Amino acid sequence: MIELLFEPGDLARIRFARSPMHEVMSSMRVAGHADRARMHGPWVRSVRGPVSALRLELLRPLLADPRYVPEFLMPSPDRMDTRFADELARVRTTPEGSVRAQLELLGGGAPLPETLRPLYDDPERHLGRLAAEVQAYWQVAIEPIWSRLAGLLDAEVGYRAEQLTSGGIVRLLGNLHPELEYAEDALRILWPTWRSQSRLDGAGVLLVPCVFAWPSLLVDTDPQCPTLIYGPRGVGKVWDGPARSPAPPVADLLGRSRAALLARLDLPLSTTQVARDLHLSAASVSEHLSVLRRSGLVTSRRSGRQVLYQRTALGTDLLGAASRASIR
């Protein structure tokens, strides 16, 4: 069991962030887990061809150890709107000593694969090559679905915020993951083969929901930024996809653009995301959203600098009723 001991100041330092880079690295390990491969089957099938065409000569062996991922590949995000480009820049500028020290931990200290020797011998030169591989993978495997992933992650954080409001820290941390337990000012990771205890000493805990981490719990006990990476609720929603073609009665009632927008908002999305997905102007989407919100079909909330919109239960009922009526 890993035990993290809280002081009062640590409770005030519990925060959430999302990380495109965590999704990149976790997604590359999906094939090695049968349950994840089944859950993410539609995505696996859609990217198999494009990913197999990539030359990932450094990235693949870096992720081959099932027990350890070098920390420089998954830098701790510092906010909810962390950008992939910023994380990639951090990977590219990792200090040479950190790269070598973390490579030495791969494979439990076994000799490095020959493909990784150049990175070990000359990190400054080959980190650029590694960053190019990561970017190529991002562009074909994660960037096309990032708005869906981000929507689910935003929904997760919104749900946890409601738990904190209604039940405090105990409720927030108590059902975050089956392997977590919070009691008596201690957060316990229930891993029977581990034995460690540490005080957070004001560092708090960073909570990072990650779609491709499901159903695992990943733990980084770095004293500067203790981090828990876990799968968010409703992972399957990402691949269910929105109802792209609303039933004719809804389009007749709301208009085609508003009906399509309502169908798209099964997960929280910003005006910009919806406009891009539906090929509409941001101004037009904003106007439609205002009407739908006043009608009680859409709700909105602020997340950092963005306002996120999501379909309400009434909106979902309307789409469902219209679909049933069109079948009759």
Side-chain angles (χ1 to χ4, degrees):
M1 178 173 66
I2 298 175
E3 195 169 33
L4 303 176
L5 305 180
F6 282 76
E7 299 292 338
D10 294 307
L11 297 177
R13 289 280 295 156
I14 295 175
R15 66 251 185 236
F16 284 87
R18 70 183 186 201
S19 168
M21 191 66 75
H22 281 53
E23 299 292 353
V24 166
M25 299 306 162
S26 297
S27 70
M28 285 203 65
R29 297 159 72 91
V30 162
H33 299 265
D35 51 354
R36 293 190 206 177
R38 285 193 298 271
M39 170 62 75
H40 302 304
W43 172 82
V44 171
R45 291 188 291 273
S46 70
V47 303
R48 184 178 289 123
V51 170
S52 65
L54 299 176
R55 297 184 62 182
L56 306 176
E57 297 170 350
L58 290 176
L59 187 55
R60 289 191 191 280
L62 282 171
L63 297 171
D65 187 340
R67 299 161 298 176
Y68 176 72
V69 176
E71 294 175 13
F72 66 83
L73 286 178
M74 299 176 72
S76 296
D78 53 7
R79 59 185 189 271
M80 277 299 296
D81 59 347
T82 300
R83 299 189 311 157
F84 171 74
D86 295 334
E87 292 187 301
L88 189 64
R90 292 176 64 185
V91 172
R92 189 182 288 113
T93 57
T94 305
E96 292 190 9
S98 297
V99 173
R100 291 194 178 100
Q102 292 167 37
L103 288 178
E104 289 169 359
L105 297 175
L106 278 175
L112 277 179
E114 283 302 311
T115 52
L116 293 180
R117 290 301 312 182
L119 181 60
Y120 186 90
D121 294 336
D122 191 354
E124 183 176 3
R125 177 182 176 186
H126 290 281
L127 278 174
R129 178 183 157 203
L130 172 62
E133 292 184 8
V134 174
Q135 183 162 22
Y137 177 85
W138 158 263
Q139 288 173 338
V140 302
I142 303 299
E143 187 176 28
I145 59 166
W146 175 244
S147 65
R148 295 287 296 170
L149 301 183
L152 184 65
L153 300 177
D154 284 327
E156 164 69 14
V157 174
Y159 172 77
R160 299 299 171 185
E162 292 174 2
Q163 285 197 311
L164 178 62
T165 301
S166 60
I169 294 295
V170 173
R171 187 171 184 185
L172 169 65
L173 297 177
N175 64 359
L176 200 70
H177 190 276
E179 295 172 359
L180 280 180
E181 175 184 276
Y182 178 77
E184 300 173 350
D185 293 329
L187 184 62
R188 300 181 179 91
I189 295 95
L190 306 177
W191 292 352
T193 59
W194 290 70
R195 293 286 184 274
S196 72
Q197 184 183 80
S198 58
R199 294 189 176 278
L200 295 173
D201 290 330
V205 174
L206 177 65
L207 303 174
V208 183
C210 177
V211 171
F212 286 104
W214 179 95
S216 300
L217 175 68
L218 309 178
V219 180
D220 183 353
T221 56
D222 178 356
Q224 301 299 317
C225 186
T227 303
L228 301 178
I229 304 164
Y230 69 98
R233 299 167 65 253
V235 169
K237 286 184 178 181
V238 175
W239 314 125
D240 287 346
R244 293 287 185 178
S245 301
V250 175
D252 292 342
L253 177 66
L254 301 178
R256 293 179 61 184
S257 293
R258 288 176 188 166
L261 197 158
L262 185 65
R264 186 70 182 85
L265 291 174
D266 57 326
L267 293 172
L269 294 173
S270 69
T271 301
T272 303
Q273 290 171 318
V274 176
R276 183 182 63 240
D277 291 349
L278 297 182
H279 306 290
L280 299 171
S281 70
S284 175
V285 168
S286 181
E287 180 180 347
H288 292 321
L289 286 170
S290 295
V291 173
L292 293 173
R293 185 175 56 182
R294 290 196 301 270
S295 303
L297 301 177
V298 163
T299 187
S300 65
R301 64 176 176 83
R302 181 165 292 279
S303 176
R305 301 173 185 174
Q306 299 184 104
V307 176
L308 301 176
Y309 297 86
Q310 186 172 15
R311 195 170 62 228
T312 63
L314 178 61
T316 299
D317 289 345
L318 177 62
L319 288 177
S323 295
R324 291 189 295 272
S326 67
I327 295 173
R328 295 193 187 106

